[in-house]
Amino acid sequence: MPVSRAQSSDSRIIAHVDMDCFYVQVEQRKQPTLRGQPTAVVQYNSWKGGGLIAVSYEARMFGVKRSMRGSEAKEVCPEIQLVQVPVARGKADLSVYRNAGSEVVSILSRKGRCERASIDEVYLDLTESAETMLAELPPHRLESINEEALKSHVLGLDVQDGDNARESVRKWFLKSDADHRDKLLACGALIVSELRLQVLEETEFTCSAGIAHNKMLAKLASGMNKPAQQTVVPFLSVNKLLEPLPIKKMKQLGGKLGTSLQVDLGVNTVGDLLHFSEQKLQEHYGINTGTWLWNAARGISGDEVESRLLPKSHGSGKTFPGPRALKTSASVQKWLNELCEELSERLLSDLEQNKRIAHTLSLHLNDSESVKKFPSKSCPIRYGTAKIQEDAFNLFHAGLREYVGSRTIKTKGNLHHGWAITGLSISASKIVEIPSGTRSISKYFDNQVKTCTSEKQSIDLFTQYDADVSYSGNGSYLRFHSMCPQMKNCEEDTGNKHFMPIVNQDKDQNESKDESFIPKSIDEQHSSFSTVRQQQDGVTRDILSLSSSGAELNQKETKIDFLGEETEHGLKSKEQKWKPYKEKGTILRYFGSHGSCSLPKEDHDKILGDNKASSSSDSKVMVDSFFEVVEGKLPPKNLVPRTSTTLSGQDELRRTAWSYKSDEIDQITLNELPIEIQAEVRTWLRPHKRANTMKKGSSILDYFLPTRNS
Ligand code: TTP
C-alpha cells in the first residue's frame, strides 16, 4: 500500500528521464545500419519468432507493438529488422543494456541528485542547480534559449492552432514576471535540455523527460511526448493534467488498489477521486493510504529523489511458457543453477567495482497453470556461486512444501505433483555499501559484541530481518551469530541441528517480523549456517548462525575470554576454553577476540603516544603488532585473558595486541570471514611478507613500544 509522505516543498525541481525504445537504440548503436529503420529487439525462442521486448518508433508507425511475436511483427511490417537479445547460459544476457544505462546515468548525475529507477529511467533532483541558475543568470536574461529547450511542451501554455509553438515557449522561458515556481521550472527545463544534448553527444542515445515539482508528476510527464522531447508541468497546470487521467495510469494504482477504487468507489479517473474527502478515503483504505490517495489526486507527493546511481537489487530470471514449463525438481535445479551463476557473477562485480554487498536472496516462482500463487521465499545471502545455488534450491523446496501442502513432494525423477513452473527468478536485494578504510574490522566486531548483549536482543534483531537495512543492524546479522556467545549455547542445546532461515516474501514487513521462519535442513558438511532454536513468547524461532568450525566462544554476556580463564563472573568452563595454538581453527577465532578485547581508544592512544603520525586505526595497530611477533621483534606471549578489570597500562595493552599470530592463520579460513572484510584482511596479511624484509627499527612500533628490546 502506498504511504503518504509530507511534501517538503512545492518548489522542488524534479526531472524524470526515460530513454526512448532503449534496447533498440543500444542495438542501433552497435549496428548503425539499423538507424532510422523499423527495428525491434526480440527475446528469441522458436515459438513464432520470439517475443518483442523493444520496438523502434519507426516500427511503431507500422503498428508493431511490444506484445507481438516476431512473426506477427513481420506480418504488419515486412521490412522490420528483428535483432535478438544476446544470450548467455541459455537465457537473455542484458549486460550490454545495463552498461549502456550506466553510461547515461553518469552523464545525468552531473547536475543534481540522481536516482537510477530502472535500466533506462532516472530521476533527478535539480532544485539546487535551478536555484543557482535563477540567482546567477535567470532565463529572462539569457540572450538565447537553446533549440532543444524551445521544443519543450509546457502544459497549460495556450498554443492555438497556427501559432508558432516555439515562439510561445520562448516567451514562457523569458517571462520576467513569472511565478517563482515557474521560473525555477524554466531553469530546470533548460538544464534538462542541456543534459539530454550531452547524453546524445556522448552516447548517441535520445531520451525524453518530464520536469515538474515532484517525482510523480515528472514521471507522468516524461511519457507524454516521446521520443526525444521534454514536457514541463507548471504548478497551475497540475489539475488539468491529472483530472482526465485514467486512475490505473497513476503510479501505484495500476494494481489491486486501483481496481478497488474502480469497483468499490466507482473512481475511473483522477478527477473522480477529487470528489472524496480525505476522511472518506481513510475510512476505506486506512489513514496512510487514504491521505496518500487524497494527495495524489491533487498532484501532491513528498517522495524524495534518492541518491542512487547503482541498481537497488540484482535479479536473474527466465520464463518457461506453455509446454516448456518446468515440472521436475531436477529441471528447476538446473535452471536455478544457471540463474544463480549469473547472479553470483553480478554480485561479485558489484562488490569489486562498487564495494557493495547484498543481504537478501529471494526466489520468485510462477505457476501459471494454477490459480494458487507460488510463495516467494527469501533468506540471508551467502556469497559464492555454490552457496547461492544451494540456498536457492532450498528456498525452492521451502516454497514447494508450502505450495503443495501436505501432498508428497517428489524431489527426484520425472514425476511431479500438480505444479508447473512457468517463471523462475532469483534476486539479491538490500544492497549496501561496505564501509571503507581499515577501521571496518574493528567496527564490525565491536558491533557484533554490542549486538549480542542479550539473547532477547539477538532474537529481536533476527526477527527484524527483512524489515530494515543497515550495515550494522540486520546487515551484519548473518555474521554476528558466529561471534555471539549466546548462540553457541543454544546451538548445543539443539544438538547442533543445521537449519536455514527462510522468510516468506509474500508477507509484508510487519508481518515478517512476527513470522516464524520455516526451518529447512541442509547438509551440515556443506553449510556454514547453523540454526538456534529459541523459545521466546512461546514461539520457537530458528536463528541463523554462521558455524565457526571449532571456535569455542565464551557463553557469558558480552565478555569473551578466549583462554578459558576466569572471567569477571568467576566462571570457568570447557566451552570457555580456547586452545589457540594446538589446532588451526577458523579465522573467526583470531579476529573474534577483537570484539571483546578491542582496545579502548585511549589505550591505543597510549600505545601510539602523542605521535599519532600514522593513519593507523586501532585495529591496524593490533595487526601491525602481531606481525612484529612473527618477525621475532616482540617476545611471543600466550594469549592473555582480557577483562575490563584486569587490563590496564601499557604492558597489558601490548600483551593483548600480541594475541594474534598471523602465521597461524590458515589462508583458506579467510574465506570464512564476512565477504566485506576478506579483502581488507588479505591486504593486511600481504604487507606482512614485505615486512619480513624490513630491518629492525623500521616499524613504527619500534619507536612507540619502549620495552620491545627487553
Ligand atoms: P521501456 O522504457 O518500457 O520501453 P522502451 O524504452 O523500449 O520504449 P519507450 O520509448 O516507450 O520508453 O523499457 C525499457 C527497456 O526495457 C526496453 O527497451 C526493453 C526492456 N523491456 C523488457 O525487456 N520487457 C518489458 O516488458 C518491458 C516493458 C521493457
Side-chain angles (χ1 to χ4, degrees), residues 24-32 34-37 39 56:
V24 171
Q25 286 205 74
V26 174
E27 294 301 335
Q28 287 175 332
R29 186 172 70 169
K30 276 201 273 178
Q31 293 183 62
L34 294 175
R35 281 194 196 286
Q37 301 216 37
T39 309
S56 75

Side-chain angles (χ1 to χ4, degrees), residues 216-217 220 242 245-255 269-270 273 292-293 295-299:
M216 179 180 75
L217 296 170
L220 277 174
L242 291 180
L245 201 72
I247 198 74
K248 288 243 172 182
K249 291 266 179 214
M250 290 284 279
K251 204 176 168 207
Q252 306 211 58
L253 295 181
T269 62
V270 178
L273 193 55
W292 181 86
L293 283 168
N295 284 334
R298 287 153 185 83

